[in-house]
Amino acid sequence: MKAIKLNFPKLKLKGLAFELFQHLGWDIPPGLQPGQEADPMNYTYKEYLEAKRGGRMAKKLKNHIKTSWDSSDSRASFEAALERGGLYLAQGTRRGFVCVDFEGNIYSLSRWSGVKRQQLTEQLGEPEVLQSVEQVRNDIAERMSPRLEQYIDEATSSYQHQLDDLLSTKAALVESQRIERDELIIRQDENWCQRCEARAAEYSNGLRGLWGRVTGKHKQLVIQHEREEQRETQKDRQALERLDSKHLQHRERLQSHIDAAKEAFETAKYTLFEQLAEYRTMRIEPPIAFEPRVQAEDQRQSRSFNLDQ
């Protein structure tokens, strides 16, 4: 009866889960796939937080960096591919190679590309030949014209307004669901108290109660009440589960709207950076009536969500 420390519990539990999926013949989820079969665009929680701080989607950011690396054969082509997505190559302080975006956020190149530093050095050269992060930030600030900044600010503010509306709807939905669930629990508790009082009134006191115990009627009544209470408890539990299931469906539907809004914004942002990179390469200002090449359907997605859906 001694507690023994289990080394590497997460790996062992993951292996056990994988064996259970195989044994039961279920479809293995992506998170349990072996490394060689897993999605190469999978990202860690640390990468997710890093991308979130930069206002980007981790999967799209990783896809852009990996695609840029795979499609390039020199530092110049790699830098050009990165710039089409609003990223610039720089020398990091703790890591050799990093990427800097328009807002000045830093992303480790080796982590996001999945390429070791030795391979990066072979293709890109020594990191010392690159500009530092501060130099790249200053260069971006100098090359960013007011019109380019205006386009980025408008795209960001439009997305933020849309996301704020959805988050407000989500908060209202959560609060209404919490109230509805609490009211159901209160009604069930009140019904339980009433049932207890009604059953207690069926028991006899005094000599009649003693006679019921002698003849066994009291025990029969107790068994009958226990069965009735089990049935009522099961009905209450099922009612609560049905309500939770309905709430979960509403939350999932709303979350799909939020995810679609983030996806549309990331697509618009990437397209915007790609077009701005073209104008910067040609060293000309974009027209005043410049509009990002984004599908109207993407812009219309996730603008509203009805609580009664």
Side-chain angles (χ1 to χ4, degrees):
M1 295 300 293
K2 292 184 179 179
I4 300 176
K5 182 180 178 181
L6 179 64
N7 294 323
F8 308 107
K10 292 185 178 179
L11 289 177
K12 292 181 178 179
L13 291 174
K14 184 177 179 180
L16 177 61
F18 181 78
E19 292 177 2
L20 286 173
F21 272 91
Q22 284 187 319
H23 177 71
L24 297 173
W26 295 343
D27 293 335
I28 300 176
L32 291 179
Q33 293 285 357
Q36 63 273 15
E37 300 178 9
D39 186 356
M41 299 306 163
N42 284 345
Y43 50 86
T44 63
Y45 184 64
K46 187 174 183 179
E47 291 172 343
Y48 163 76
L49 293 178
E50 189 175 353
K52 185 179 180 181
R53 285 192 294 268
R56 292 173 175 263
M57 295 182 68
K59 198 158 193 173
K60 283 189 172 292
L61 177 62
K62 193 160 195 172
N63 179 64
H64 174 64
I65 294 177
K66 289 180 71 69
T67 303
S68 300
W69 173 261
D70 295 338
S71 62
S72 61
D73 56 1
S74 64
R75 193 180 76 189
S77 61
F78 181 57
E79 286 182 314
L82 283 178
E83 187 171 345
R84 283 194 292 271
L87 298 176
Y88 298 87
L89 194 61
Q91 175 190 355
T93 54
R94 291 183 299 172
R95 299 177 176 84
F97 299 95
V98 296
C99 297
V100 183
D101 63 11
F102 275 99
E103 290 83 5
N105 302 299
I106 303 172
Y107 307 96
S108 169
L109 183 57
S110 59
R111 178 190 302 159
W112 284 93
S113 65
V115 180
K116 295 183 179 180
R117 177 170 178 173
Q118 181 178 358
Q119 295 176 267
L120 295 175
T121 305
E122 290 176 358
Q123 181 167 322
L124 305 178
E126 294 297 331
E128 286 75 15
V129 301
L130 299 174
Q131 291 182 320
S132 66
V133 172
E134 289 302 322
Q135 289 174 329
V136 172
R137 285 174 174 170
N138 294 333
D139 183 55
I140 293 174
E142 291 175 359
R143 295 167 62 186
M144 285 282 288
S145 67
R147 194 175 299 171
L148 298 183
E149 292 181 353
Q150 178 185 356
Y151 292 146
I152 297 175
D153 292 341
E154 287 177 355
T156 304
S157 60
S158 175
Y159 159 75
Q160 194 61 47
H161 177 71
Q162 181 180 350
L163 185 61
D164 289 343
D165 290 342
L166 288 172
L167 292 179
S168 299
T169 304
K170 181 179 180 180
L173 178 63
V174 170
E175 183 62 24
S176 64
Q177 289 180 348
R178 182 180 294 114
I179 294 175
E180 187 177 2
R181 194 176 195 277
D182 291 342
E183 289 177 350
L184 177 61
I185 293 176
I186 291 174
R187 288 198 304 271
Q188 290 180 348
D189 290 341
E190 292 176 351
N191 292 336
W192 180 80
C193 292
Q194 294 175 1
R195 292 197 302 267
C196 289
E197 293 176 357
R199 293 190 182 105
E202 295 182 14
Y203 293 104
S204 302
N205 297 322
L207 292 177
R208 183 175 296 179
L210 181 60
W211 178 251
R213 291 178 181 274
V214 172
T215 58
K217 290 184 179 180
H218 177 81
K219 185 176 182 180
Q220 293 177 357
L221 191 59
V222 169
I223 295 175
Q224 177 185 344
H225 288 171
E226 289 177 350
R227 291 174 178 173
E228 291 176 354
E229 184 57 33
Q230 288 178 356
R231 289 194 296 268
E232 295 295 335
T233 302
Q234 183 66 19
K235 288 174 58 178
D236 290 346
R237 187 181 297 113
Q238 290 175 353
L240 192 60
E241 290 175 354
R242 286 194 299 269
L243 182 64
D244 290 341
S245 178
K246 184 183 72 172
H247 287 174
L248 182 60
Q249 290 177 4
H250 287 179
R251 290 284 298 277
E252 288 176 347
R253 191 154 51 242
L254 176 57
Q255 188 61 44
S256 67
H257 283 65
I258 296 175
D259 293 341
K262 293 180 179 179
E263 179 80 17
F265 171 69
E266 188 64 22
T267 302
K269 192 175 183 181
Y270 182 84
T271 306
L272 177 64
F273 287 156
E274 191 176 29
Q275 292 177 259
L276 295 182
E278 295 175 2
Y279 285 111
R280 291 181 57 181
T281 302
M282 295 184 291
R283 297 184 179 279
I284 61 175
E285 282 285 328
I288 297 178
F290 168 76
E291 288 290 342
R293 295 189 298 263
V294 183
Q295 296 293 332
E297 183 64 27
D298 293 337
Q299 295 178 334
R300 290 195 299 266
Q301 281 184 343
S302 313
R303 288 193 174 176
S304 63
F305 179 82
N306 186 0
L307 288 178
D308 297 329
Q309 287 180 335

